[in-house]
Amino acid sequence: MKKKNLLLGLLLLFGVSMTNVIANTTLDINGVVLQGQEKEYAKIDTSDVPVDVLRSISAKYSGYSLDEAYLSDDVEYKVVLTKEKTKITAIYKATGEFVKEA
C-alpha cells in the first residue's frame, strides 16, 4: 500500500510540474520552444504614444496621468499611469485596444 501511495504521489508531483512547464512554454515562428520568455520593452517618450492609445487610456483611466511609456518589438505599448498615490501599468496595442494590466 505504501509503494502504491508513493507512486501516486510521484505521478501527481510529475503532473503538476509538467503543467507548469507547459504553461510557461511558447513556440517562436520557427517552431523552437522558448521557455517563459517575457516581452522586452524599450522606453520611449510619452509624446510618441499613438493617439488611439491615448484615447483608450483616457476613457479607461480617467484622471490618471501618463508618466512613462515603453514599446515592444511587436508594437505593444506599456504605459505607466498615476493618479494621486495609485500607480498602474497597462499594455495596449497600437490600435488602442487594451490588452491587460501588468
Side-chain angles (χ1 to χ4, degrees):
M1 186 71 166
K2 287 184 180 183
K3 287 183 180 181
K4 194 177 209 181
N5 287 339
L6 179 63
L7 181 59
L8 284 173
L10 289 174
L11 287 173
L12 181 62
L13 181 63
F14 179 75
V16 169
S17 63
M18 288 307 297
T19 301
N20 189 30
V21 168
I22 291 169
N24 290 320
T25 301
T26 57
L27 296 177
D28 74 359
I29 58 174
N30 298 317
V32 176
V33 174
L34 305 171
Q35 288 291 329
Q37 286 189 331
E38 293 209 17
K39 197 177 292 192
E40 291 186 26
Y41 293 86
K43 189 167 187 172
I44 61 171
D45 194 271
T46 56
S47 63
D48 293 331
V49 176
V51 172
D52 290 336
V53 174
L54 294 174
R55 283 188 190 127
S56 186
I57 291 169
S58 180
K60 185 167 179 68
Y61 298 103
S62 179
Y64 281 79
S65 63
L66 175 59
D67 291 341
E68 298 175 37
Y70 301 85
L71 179 62
S72 70
D73 288 338
D74 63 349
V75 195
E76 278 189 350
Y77 291 85
K78 179 174 14 176
V79 293
V80 178
L81 311 165
T82 57
K83 181 178 181 180
E84 298 169 11
K85 293 181 180 182
T86 304
K87 190 176 231 180
I88 294 174
T89 301
I91 310 292
Y92 284 89
K93 293 185 179 182
T95 59
E97 180 184 342
F98 174 78
V99 177
K100 67 178 181 177
E101 283 187 16

